């Protein structure tokens, strides 16, 4: 009888918790193992399509406020796309070397709007001249703000900060780098629900259900779910547009739903190469530069979380602090290029493209470098690029719902290194995530009602610094978790184990784990001249 009872009980292995993994398993292609060339090109094009969303949305919102029309909007989008391609190549070759797409950032929108509203531009009556003057002011602020990332990154200061990061303090930072962007997800889908919702449903069916129903060893539907779903829904949206479904709809509905309302195809030149200082010589203002520096610091923190997510989904080991510092320094150079070329926006790691790596399970560096080639190619051939840039916004927002979720859950995945039965862990995790959601919500609600942020003094640059910093979910959550984790019972041996700090000990230096050389070493034997520690 005892034997029967033993047989009926669960196996010992079944009751054991899942093992901790330094590198995420089940990834088809990691950083250094590229897929075949045809697959690599298709996957690279997919990355290009995904990053187009932010590239189009930000100039579409800012350029009309600056005084520009469709011509200026098309040129700014081309420039932003061109510089994004350059920055992605620089980051994947000389920065962290992770397959991270570097693109536009919503973080820089607030200080840019502050420049747009500056009193010195209100007297310029000609819209085009007003646009040029505001663009030059934005360029000057971006050039100055780039120094904060360049200095913190290349001096080694950010490396010192990141060395104190544990899995417990990194989890809220990474989680809210994804989940904190919820306002760009379903609210964007709902702007044209008859297009956005089918895109979301078809994307989930193609990526999650069909592969399991077919039991195929070839990863086709899940790996190219973005291409399939966009093609189907874009055609559907085109049929609705041509069929006159929106002929008598409200102007806003037409703007979001129609496939012919972006104004980009007619305004884009056939061939145009963006060049430095194409809008004229930059102008500089101290207050605006300080506000833009605050945005650059917020982007630095958010990018750190996104870099960690990218490393996880590309099956690399945790990023050594010196490599994160190097990546931040090159991202600063990216913001400098934004200022020199005049993109009206700064650069950061594209969270949506990090989520795409999770969806496809392809973390190949070559794929992202090919996508950078597409960015540069289509930015120069304006008409062709404008065709893809005219994809309706709700389709892109549906993609965000999945990709931002993937990045957020990468942060939750770091909790495998922590003791979740510890009340210290529960307090730090819960308190930081709650404040990370609650504080920015207060700032956003206040701004939407009053028309300005809670910080409303006579010094606009100070207002912008406070409002930009506290409107970032990732920054607030990351700072609270980092501060509490490094001050609360820090020297307690049990607390050190509970926070998972010991799991990352061998990754705090580039040289202590041999796998770091495989993933993060510089090309052309440059490690001899620029050694990582």
């Amino acid at each position: 009888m005892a034997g029967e009872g033993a047989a009926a009980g669960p196996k010992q292995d079944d009751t054991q918790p899942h093992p901790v993994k330094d590198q995420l398993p089940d990834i088809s292609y990691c950083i250094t193992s590229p897929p075949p060339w045809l697959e690599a090109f298709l996957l690279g094009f997919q990355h290009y399509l995904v990053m187009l969303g932010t590239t189009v949305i930000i100039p579409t919102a800012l350029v009309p406020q600056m005084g520009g029309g469709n011509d200026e909007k098309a040129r700014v989008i081309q420039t932003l796309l061109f510089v994004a391609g350059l920055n992605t190549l620089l980051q994947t070759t000389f920065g962290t070397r992770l397959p991270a797409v570097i693109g536009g950032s919503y973080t820089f929108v607030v200080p840019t709007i502050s420049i747009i509203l500056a009193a010195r531009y209100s007297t310029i009556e000609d819209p085009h001249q007003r646009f040029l003057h505001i663009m030059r002011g934005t360029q000057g602020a971006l050039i100055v703000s780039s120094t904060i990332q360049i200095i913190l990154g290349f001096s080694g200061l950010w490396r010192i900060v990141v060395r104190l990061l544990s899995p417990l303090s990194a989890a809220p930072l990474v989680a809210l780098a994804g989940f904190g962007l919820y306002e760009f997800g379903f609210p964007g889908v709902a702007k044209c629900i008859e297009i956005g919702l089918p895109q979301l449903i078809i994307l989930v069916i193609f990526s999650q259900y069909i592969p399991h129903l077919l039991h195929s060893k070839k990863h086709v539907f899940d790996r190219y779910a973005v291409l399939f779903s966009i093609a189907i829904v874009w055609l559907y949206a085109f049929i609705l547009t041509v069929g006159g479904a929106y002929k008598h709809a409200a102007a806003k509905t037409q703007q979001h739903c129609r496939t012919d309302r972006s104004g980009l195809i007619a305004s884009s030149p056939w061939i145009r190469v963006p060049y430095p200082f194409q809008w004229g010589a930059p102008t500089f203002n101290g207050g605006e530069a300080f506000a833009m520096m605050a945005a650059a610091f917020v982007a630095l923190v958010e990018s750190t979380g996104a870099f960690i997510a990218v490393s996880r989904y590309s099956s690399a080991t945790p990023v050594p602090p010196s490599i994160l510092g190097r990546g931040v320094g090159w991202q600063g150079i990216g913001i400098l290029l934004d200022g020199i070329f005049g993109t009206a926006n700064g650069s950061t790691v594209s969270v949506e493209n990090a989520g795409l790596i999770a969806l496809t399970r392809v973390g190949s560096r070559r794929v992202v470098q090919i996508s950078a080639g597409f960015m540069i190619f289509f930015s120069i051939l304006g008409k062709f690029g404008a065709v893809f840039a005219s994809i309706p916004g709700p389709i892109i927002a549906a993609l965000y719902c999945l990709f931002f979720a993937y990045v957020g859950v990468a942060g939750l995945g770091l909790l495998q290194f922590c003791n979740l039965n510890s009340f210290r862990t529960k307090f730090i995790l819960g308190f930081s995530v709650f404040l990370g959601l609650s504080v920015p919500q207060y700032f956003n609600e206040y701004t939407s009602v009053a028309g300005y942020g809670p910080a409303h003094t006579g010094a606009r640059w100070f207002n912008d610094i406070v409002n930009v910093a506290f409107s970032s979910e990732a920054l607030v959550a990351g700072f609270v978790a980092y501060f509490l984790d490094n001050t609360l019972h820090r020297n307690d041996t049990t607390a050190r184990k509970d926070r998972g700090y010991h799991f990352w000990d061998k990754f705090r230096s580039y040289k202590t784990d041999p796998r770091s050389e495989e993933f993060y070493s510089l090309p052309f034997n440059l490690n001899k001249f620029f050694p990582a520690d």
Side-chain angles (χ1 to χ4, degrees):
M1 294 293 291
E4 289 178 13
K11 294 180 182 178
Q12 188 173 358
D13 291 345
D14 291 342
T15 60
Q16 295 300 312
H18 296 288
V20 170
K21 300 284 187 182
D22 288 334
Q23 294 173 260
L24 196 66
D26 299 325
I27 300 297
S28 301
Y29 298 97
C30 70
I31 294 178
T32 53
S33 60
W37 281 104
L38 178 60
E39 278 192 58
F41 271 93
L42 287 172
L43 290 163
F45 183 69
Q46 206 166 225
H47 272 282
Y48 161 72
L49 284 181
V50 167
M51 68 81 59
L52 271 180
T54 305
T55 306
V56 172
I57 289 169
I58 293 174
T60 300
L62 292 178
V63 170
Q65 297 182 61
M66 296 167 73
N70 283 340
D71 289 346
E72 288 83 3
K73 182 173 74 171
R75 288 182 64 186
V76 172
I77 289 172
Q78 280 184 276
T79 305
L80 184 54
L81 191 59
F82 181 81
V83 176
L86 292 180
N87 287 339
T88 301
L89 285 176
L90 289 173
Q91 186 63 240
T92 53
T93 308
F94 303 111
T96 58
R97 305 221 70 208
L98 289 167
V101 171
I102 308 297
S105 171
Y106 295 105
T107 304
F108 293 87
V109 169
V110 171
T112 304
I113 290 176
S114 183
I115 294 173
I116 291 171
L117 298 176
R120 66 180 182 279
Y121 300 123
S122 61
T123 56
I124 304 173
E125 293 184 4
D126 180 33
H128 181 67
Q129 285 301 315
R130 184 168 176 267
F131 168 80
L132 289 177
H133 280 80
I134 292 173
M135 177 61 84
R136 293 167 191 166
T138 307
Q139 286 182 260
L142 284 168
I143 289 170
V144 174
S145 71
S146 68
T147 58
I148 191 167
Q149 291 199 14
I150 292 172
I151 292 171
L152 287 175
F154 291 132
S155 69
L157 290 173
W158 194 244
R159 175 189 63 195
I160 296 169
V161 173
V162 175
R163 280 223 167 105
L164 296 176
L165 206 61
S166 72
L168 177 56
S169 53
L173 168 64
V174 180
L176 267 68
F179 293 144
L181 298 170
Y182 60 87
E183 62 189 284
F184 300 107
F186 199 80
V189 171
K191 287 178 179 176
C192 187
I193 197 72
E194 62 267 33
I195 290 175
L197 191 57
Q199 169 65 35
L200 182 57
I201 293 170
I202 292 171
L203 179 65
V204 171
I205 290 172
F206 269 78
S207 64
Q208 306 300 323
Y209 286 94
I210 290 180
H212 291 284
L213 291 172
L214 295 180
H215 300 291
S216 175
K217 291 183 179 179
K218 291 185 177 180
H219 299 278
V220 177
F221 289 101
D222 48 351
R223 195 164 289 171
Y224 305 108
V226 170
L227 290 179
F228 287 129
S229 59
I230 286 181
I232 292 168
V233 180
W234 196 9
L235 177 62
Y236 164 62
F238 176 74
I239 292 171
L240 288 179
T241 301
V242 174
Y246 304 113
K247 191 174 291 184
H248 304 294
K252 275 194 174 183
T253 303
Q254 294 198 33
Q255 182 68 36
H256 294 302
C257 297
R258 293 181 69 101
T259 56
D260 58 357
R261 282 302 172 97
S262 65
L264 293 176
I265 298 174
S267 304
S268 299
W270 282 102
I271 297 177
R272 182 182 171 275
V273 181
Y275 56 91
F277 308 117
Q278 57 190 331
W279 313 107
T283 58
F284 299 89
N285 177 279
E288 291 167 1
F290 275 114
M292 200 67 85
M293 285 177 80
F297 181 75
V298 172
L300 180 158
V301 174
E302 293 173 346
S303 290
T304 300
F307 276 134
I308 294 172
V310 171
S311 71
R312 193 78 186 144
Y313 283 132
S314 53
S315 197
T317 52
V319 194
S322 58
I323 303 302
L324 276 173
R326 191 172 75 194
V328 164
W330 278 100
Q331 189 170 276
I333 291 176
I335 296 174
L336 177 63
L337 290 176
D338 286 320
I340 289 172
F341 279 85
T343 63
N345 192 246
S347 290
T348 188
V349 177
S350 170
V351 176
E352 54 268 36
N353 287 86
L356 179 59
I357 292 173
L359 179 73
T360 60
R361 301 188 190 184
V362 176
S364 167
R365 184 186 296 131
R366 180 183 292 172
V367 166
V368 170
Q369 289 175 334
I370 288 171
S371 78
F374 278 117
M375 295 174 212
I376 295 171
F377 178 78
F378 283 116
S379 68
I380 294 172
L381 296 178
K383 290 285 187 193
F384 295 102
V387 171
F388 298 110
S390 62
I391 296 172
I395 292 179
I396 302 297
L399 301 180
Y400 289 169
C401 290
L402 191 57
F403 297 150
F404 293 161
Y406 264 127
V407 172
V409 85
L412 300 183
L414 298 176
L415 296 174
Q416 66 179 301
F417 302 107
C418 308
N419 178 12
L420 290 175
N421 291 317
S422 161
F423 277 92
R424 178 185 182 274
T425 302
K426 292 178 187 296
F427 165 68
I428 293 173
L429 179 64
F431 189 58
S432 59
V433 170
F434 183 82
L435 285 186
L437 294 170
S438 189
V439 172
Q441 179 66 17
Y442 163 70
F443 271 74
N444 293 335
E445 280 188 11
Y446 192 105
T447 304
S448 65
V449 173
Y452 49 81
H456 189 59
T457 66
R460 286 179 59 204
W461 62 271
F462 175 78
N463 302 340
D464 291 339
I465 289 174
V466 174
N467 295 330
V468 166
F470 287 100
S471 294
S472 168
E473 288 86 352
L475 177 69
V476 174
F479 174 77
V480 172
Y482 185 89
F483 176 80
L484 292 175
D485 192 38
N486 285 289
T487 56
L488 195 61
H489 315 310
R490 185 187 169 192
N491 296 321
D492 189 302
T493 309
T494 306
R496 191 177 190 278
K497 287 190 70 175
D498 288 346
R499 63 201 283 237
Y501 196 81
H502 59 298
F503 277 109
W504 282 3
D505 277 345
K506 61 181 174 181
F507 304 112
R508 293 188 198 286
S509 173
Y510 176 82
K511 298 173 182 175
T512 50
D513 190 280
R515 291 170 291 179
S516 296
E517 183 77 21
E518 176 190 353
F519 298 125
Y520 304 114
S521 63
L522 289 170
F524 316 122
N525 216 18
L526 287 173
N527 270 46
K528 284 186 176 181
F529 306 100
F530 305 100
D533 61 358

